[in-house]
């Protein structure tokens, strides 16, 4: 398993980054963790690389 961490100053900015990563068909998503503070939003995507 691997992780990829994202952050953004707005929901829209972070959503764009996460959705771009999720469009990769060579990975299987295990889980997504989300957090926000007063200053920024963050997400951690836990994934596995597909083995062909």
């Amino acid at each position: 398993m691997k992780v990829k961490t994202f952050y953004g100053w707005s929901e829209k900015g972070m959503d764009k980054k996460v959705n771009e990563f999720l469009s990769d068909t060579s990975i299987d998503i295990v889980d997504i963790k989300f957090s926000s503070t007063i200053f920024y939003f963050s997400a951690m995507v836990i994934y596995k690389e597909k083995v062909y």
Side-chain angles (χ1 to χ4, degrees):
M1 273 194 255
K2 294 186 175 186
V3 299
K4 176 75 174 169
T5 305
F6 299 91
Y7 71 93
W9 303 113
S10 69
E11 287 179 64
K12 188 176 182 179
M14 193 187 72
D15 288 348
K16 183 178 176 182
K17 294 174 189 177
V18 172
N19 286 328
E20 185 176 306
F21 180 77
L22 296 178
S23 68
D24 184 349
T25 59
S26 67
I27 60 173
D28 285 326
I29 304 304
V30 176
D31 198 4
I32 299 175
K33 306 291 185 186
F34 174 80
S35 179
S36 66
T37 68
I38 296 172
F39 303 108
Y40 63 91
F41 299 89
S42 63
M44 179 178 67
V45 178
I46 303 168
Y47 67 98
K48 293 180 190 177
E49 293 181 342
K50 289 184 180 178
V51 178
Y52 295 99

